[in-house]
Amino acid sequence: SQTIHQWPATLVQPVGSPLSLECTVEGTSNPNLYWYRQAAGRGLQLLFYSVGIGQISSEVPQNLSASRPQDRQFILSSKKLLLSDSGFYLCAWSHGSLGSYTFGSGTRLTVV
Amino acid sequence: GENVEQHPSTLSVQEGDSAVIKCTYSDSASNYFPWYKQELGKRPQLIIDIRSNVGEKKDQRIAVTLNKTAKHFSLHITETQPEDSAVYFCAASPNNDMRFGAGTRLTVKP
């Protein structure tokens, strides 16, 4: 069966520090991969999605970036965090464009 | 791009009553409409979905209806229970970038 792993679960980082969140999927190949952010009490904002290795689509211009170095690995990064980057970051995967999304357990990021 | 609006933002019902959450979407190319339930501090989990060739789908106490002409779809929960309390998200997907509604916080009072 397919599983999705996301880490770390919680992270407290100072303003201006770098960020690296990792997501991996097991039990499937060539998944679509997604990064979403959820501000406290708010909805899900799509940040990036990827349909293959090295293919990244960005939805929101900001100081975040994403990379897909391997088929089942998706990384969210920042060179310098802002206070507004605080939130709950969720990785997700799907089979193609019309499959249901399965979410990782999320990373709660607090920028101080 | 796709724009999904969801109403109401909060909903409080008595245990045993029904709850209805409504969503509209803008992109007529959308053809997949899932609903997710998110409990506090946890990941969203799929509870039911519908594809554009189907008007209604039921799974025990949960049902979803879709009106493609009007571009709206709804979630119906019957005989609500306290464990149904959570935030519910609708979503619409025209291609590789599923868009979510802002969420509905459902509270079921015992």
Side-chain angles (χ1 to χ4, degrees):
Chain A
S1 63
Q2 302 93 351
T3 55
I4 179 169
H5 301 281
Q6 189 179 340
W7 68 94
T10 59
L11 193 58
V12 180
Q13 291 284 97
V15 169
S17 64
L19 173 74
S20 181
L21 302 180
E22 190 161 344
C23 173
T24 60
V25 180
E26 294 178 356
T28 188
S29 60
N30 197 31
N32 282 11
L33 296 170
Y34 311 87
W35 278 110
Y36 282 85
R37 177 171 62 198
Q38 187 175 31
R42 305 292 295 275
L44 296 159
Q45 179 188 31
L46 178 64
L47 301 176
F48 301 95
Y49 69 89
S50 172
V51 299
I53 297 174
Q55 300 178 59
I56 307 294
S57 295
S58 174
E59 289 298 310
V60 183
Q62 55 200 328
N63 67 321
L64 298 173
S65 62
S67 63
R68 185 170 178 173
Q70 300 179 45
D71 181 45
R72 291 170 289 177
Q73 183 185 28
F74 205 23
I75 299 171
L76 182 69
S77 304
S78 174
K79 292 182 179 178
K80 286 187 176 182
L81 285 169
L82 306 173
L83 286 174
S84 57
D85 290 325
S86 294
F88 191 43
Y89 287 81
L90 289 155
C91 179
W93 77 273
S94 71
H95 276 306
S97 60
L98 294 182
S100 62
Y101 286 21
T102 299
F103 287 89
S105 53
T107 296
R108 189 162 303 283
L109 171 66
T110 304
V111 182
V112 296
Chain B
E2 176 64 274
N3 182 47
V4 179
E5 295 192 357
Q6 182 172 347
H7 302 280
S9 57
T10 60
L11 179 60
S12 181
V13 300
Q14 209 64 39
E15 182 177 0
D17 288 350
S18 295
V20 180
I21 302 171
K22 298 182 179 181
C23 288
T24 61
Y25 62 98
S26 61
D27 192 337
S28 56
S30 287
N31 49 18
Y32 177 60
F33 306 92
W35 287 88
Y36 287 82
K37 175 182 179 182
Q38 186 179 29
E39 296 178 350
L40 188 63
K42 297 189 177 180
R43 75 187 86 184
Q45 295 200 306
L46 179 72
I47 56 172
I48 195 167
D49 56 11
I50 192 168
R51 299 188 186 272
S52 60
N53 58 338
V54 177
E56 183 176 1
K57 183 177 178 180
K58 286 185 179 180
D59 182 3
Q60 300 183 341
R61 297 187 295 108
I62 294 174
V64 58
T65 58
L66 171 65
N67 183 328
K68 281 221 77 179
T69 303
K71 295 201 190 80
H72 65 70
F73 55 114
S74 301
L75 178 71
H76 304 253
I77 306 174
T78 58
E79 300 173 26
T80 54
Q81 301 167 5
E83 51 265 39
D84 293 330
S85 296
V87 178
Y88 291 81
F89 292 97
C90 63
S93 180
N95 42 50
N96 290 312
D97 54 345
M98 187 178 296
R99 304 299 171 133
F100 288 81
T104 296
R105 183 173 300 279
L106 173 64
T107 302
V108 180
K109 299 177 183 177

